[in-house]
Amino acid sequence: MGESLLSSLWLLTKRVCAGAVVGITLSDRIGSVATMHGRSMQPTLNPAEDDPWGYLNADLLFLEKLSLRTYNFSRGDVVVFRSPLEPKMWLVKRLIALQGDWVTVPGTYDILQVPKGHCWVEGDNAEISLDSKSFGPIPLGLMKGKVTHVVWPPSRFGPVASHLPEGRVLSQKAGTRTYP
Amino acid sequence: MSLGAGAVPSVAHPVLRGTHLPHCRITEVAGAAMTVTYGIGARCWLPALREVCKKVCDRCTVSSTAGYQCRIFLSTNSMSWRALLQEAFERSVVFTQFICFLNVFSNHVVEVHQCLGPSMLPTFNVSGDILLLEHLSSRFERIKPGDVVMARSPANPRLVVCKRVLGLEGDSVTVLPTSSRGHIRQTVVPKGHVWLQGDNAYNSTDSRHYGPVPYALIQGKVFYRIWPPEGWGPVLSQPTS
């Protein structure tokens, strides 16, 4: 009996490992889900963060990773990237401008051209968002995925629209692709 | 169903009633298929098992084995389409798992990478040395000044460059000039960034051109060179001045 228990345990371990390996590959290459905390993307994401239970009702997002293969991101996409200041931290912001675009820096009269390979990101809730207006344009290499859907709570289930705020980009290069 | 080692069970299946499969027991019967588990810790060896099955009953086929288990199909033909399909499916599952394992291993543990270009002379050749890259020390923030790392270029996200780390956040680094008219200067690496520089200071596009690089762009640490053969060996961390 001990032998059969051992062999079934071994079989179970193997199944779990195989499942984990397939799961990690899918989440690396195709897409994964993640919760997001904080109010920087209100009202698009986490609109309920103000109420006392808000932290528990944080949105569960679907991150699409296929665009990481070519780093083709468009202006207006909601993107996830690793913070340039704290490597362990992942941020969710809206991509405003790509390389070569001229953007106005909010709160100043500065106009700035986004350097090669970089992009400009901003939160929808401009007042409290920690974004490119504090750390400047960020390299596209920091990107970790694109937010395409809200998965949870069920009342908010649906796609996350890509939309570019009016008048933020002064002159943009033709097309939306970053690299030909 | 539990049997001691070496016992020869009687197979309790309508078709196989009264026949014997040495050293194994039936753990699952579903339709025309049954799963047999070896009881003595021996692995299934497909040709041997086919031989045994043929002796026992000429209407069953062994479709696949996985470790200590194998699956036997009972059919009127020697190899039914169901068995074939089952075998094809199981093989493709194993193949997929293998590919996924390779992917996870190269994404999270050790990856083989090529380093092209003159920027790391004399440590690496221009022609493209093949290096082993480990992702663990960058994940757990164990990168030290002097380590050779691969990082996504800030100027082109599709390009991965190979440079040496000269300083971590808060370190003061000595920056060599990029042209003959430049001056040596000191700079402090900002929070969350690292200073990358090629070993060949005269021909390297690095932090002197694009400034300090976010730590998160580091893909991993280069720890071994496997090509060319005469350069085979660990890649050492060099103390930085």
Side-chain angles (χ1 to χ4, degrees):
Chain A
M1 201 65 217
E3 235 167 54
S4 107
L5 186 71
L6 263 182
S7 93
S8 60
L9 260 180
W10 172 235
L11 203 73
L12 183 74
T13 325
K14 277 208 300 197
R15 293 246 164 101
V16 169
C17 289
V21 161
V22 174
I24 295 173
T25 306
L26 286 181
S27 80
D28 278 357
R29 300 265 159 174
I30 314 271
S32 63
V33 288
T35 47
M36 174 210 170
H37 299 298
R39 306 194 293 134
S40 72
M41 281 300 282
Q42 283 176 349
T44 316
L45 302 173
N46 274 358
E49 274 268 323
D50 278 333
D51 68 58
W53 296 100
Y55 207 76
L56 292 177
N57 297 334
D59 282 354
L60 190 66
L61 310 172
F62 179 75
L63 316 182
E64 180 254 301
K65 311 263 175 100
L66 288 170
S67 36
L68 289 178
R69 206 166 265 280
T70 48
Y71 286 91
N72 280 340
F73 291 93
S74 313
R75 298 175 192 89
D77 285 350
V78 178
V79 290
V80 177
F81 56 93
R82 291 176 73 177
S83 161
L85 304 180
E86 283 167 70
K88 285 260 162 80
M89 195 180 187
W90 290 32
L91 302 174
V92 183
K93 303 281 176 241
R94 198 177 285 278
L95 200 155
I96 301 292
L98 295 169
Q99 65 171 7
D101 294 351
W102 291 89
V103 283
T104 50
V105 182
T108 66
Y109 294 106
D110 292 349
I111 298 173
L112 178 143
Q113 188 177 30
V114 180
K116 194 163 174 288
H118 285 59
C119 61
W120 187 270
V121 288
E122 272 176 23
D124 284 0
N125 190 353
E127 289 92 66
I128 62 154
S129 170
L130 173 75
D131 52 27
S132 278
K133 62 179 187 286
S134 51
F135 47 68
I138 60 162
L140 269 176
L142 291 175
M143 290 293 156
K144 281 290 162 195
K146 185 153 80 179
V147 177
T148 57
H149 290 82
V150 175
V151 182
W152 195 263
S155 58
R156 305 215 336 101
F157 182 86
V160 174
S162 168
H163 106 96
L164 187 61
E166 289 286 316
R168 291 290 297 108
V169 182
L170 296 184
S171 103
Q172 60 185 46
K173 291 248 178 101
T176 51
R177 286 165 65 97
T178 46
Y179 290 92
Chain B
M1 277 302 217
S2 168
L3 291 156
V8 179
S10 177
V11 177
H13 189 273
V15 180
L16 290 178
R17 196 185 302 282
T19 58
H20 292 82
L21 285 175
H23 307 316
C24 43
R25 58 175 182 272
I26 298 173
T27 46
E28 187 194 333
V29 178
M34 62 182 193
T35 305
V36 169
T37 303
Y38 265 43
I40 52 165
R43 289 186 148 256
C44 289
W45 191 49
L46 206 57
L49 210 71
R50 285 214 172 104
E51 207 56 41
V52 169
C53 277
K54 202 142 282 149
K55 268 186 208 149
V56 170
C57 138
D58 53 77
R59 291 196 300 167
C60 56
T61 52
V62 183
S63 80
S64 62
T65 63
Y68 302 101
Q69 289 200 326
C70 66
R71 184 155 289 191
I72 296 179
F73 275 89
L74 309 166
S75 65
T76 47
N77 308 327
S78 63
M79 191 75 170
S80 73
W81 63 271
R82 255 188 91 169
L84 266 174
L85 217 67
Q86 179 88 22
E87 180 160 2
F89 174 72
E90 283 178 10
R91 293 228 168 149
S92 61
V93 166
V94 169
F95 181 71
T96 315
Q97 284 173 354
F98 178 69
I99 296 290
C100 289
F101 175 77
L102 277 188
N103 178 69
V104 169
F105 191 78
S106 81
N107 265 357
H108 299 279
V109 189
V110 171
E111 192 179 355
V112 181
H113 228 291
Q114 198 178 23
C115 170
L116 274 170
S119 69
M120 281 302 279
L121 280 170
T123 315
F124 302 135
N125 299 310
V126 187
S127 52
D129 290 2
I130 297 173
L131 310 167
L132 289 185
L133 184 71
E134 51 103 350
H135 299 280
L136 298 170
S137 45
S138 60
R139 159 99 21 116
F140 298 109
E141 311 202 349
R142 291 279 183 279
I143 300 280
K144 300 179 298 298
D147 287 349
V148 179
V149 296
M150 290 226 167
R152 242 168 232 296
S153 161
N156 181 355
R158 289 199 197 165
L159 194 72
V160 175
V161 295
C162 180
K163 304 279 172 217
R164 199 178 286 278
V165 176
L166 286 201
L168 301 175
E169 63 176 26
D171 290 356
S172 169
V173 288
T174 311
V175 184
L176 298 174
T178 49
S179 70
S180 55
R181 271 168 294 164
H183 297 285
I184 293 180
R185 60 193 168 94
Q186 289 271 329
T187 181
V188 176
V189 182
K191 186 176 181 323
H193 287 61
V194 292
W195 191 271
L196 300 181
Q197 206 162 292
D199 282 356
N200 182 6
Y202 304 103
N203 191 358
S204 166
T205 307
D206 47 36
S207 282
R208 291 171 299 166
H209 300 83
Y210 40 66
V213 168
Y215 183 94
L217 286 183
I218 294 181
Q219 303 290 298
K221 179 178 150 187
V222 175
F223 74 102
Y224 216 83
R225 172 155 66 160
I226 54 177
W227 192 265
E230 61 270 19
W232 174 283
V235 174
L236 298 176
S237 176
Q238 264 177 20
T240 52
S241 52

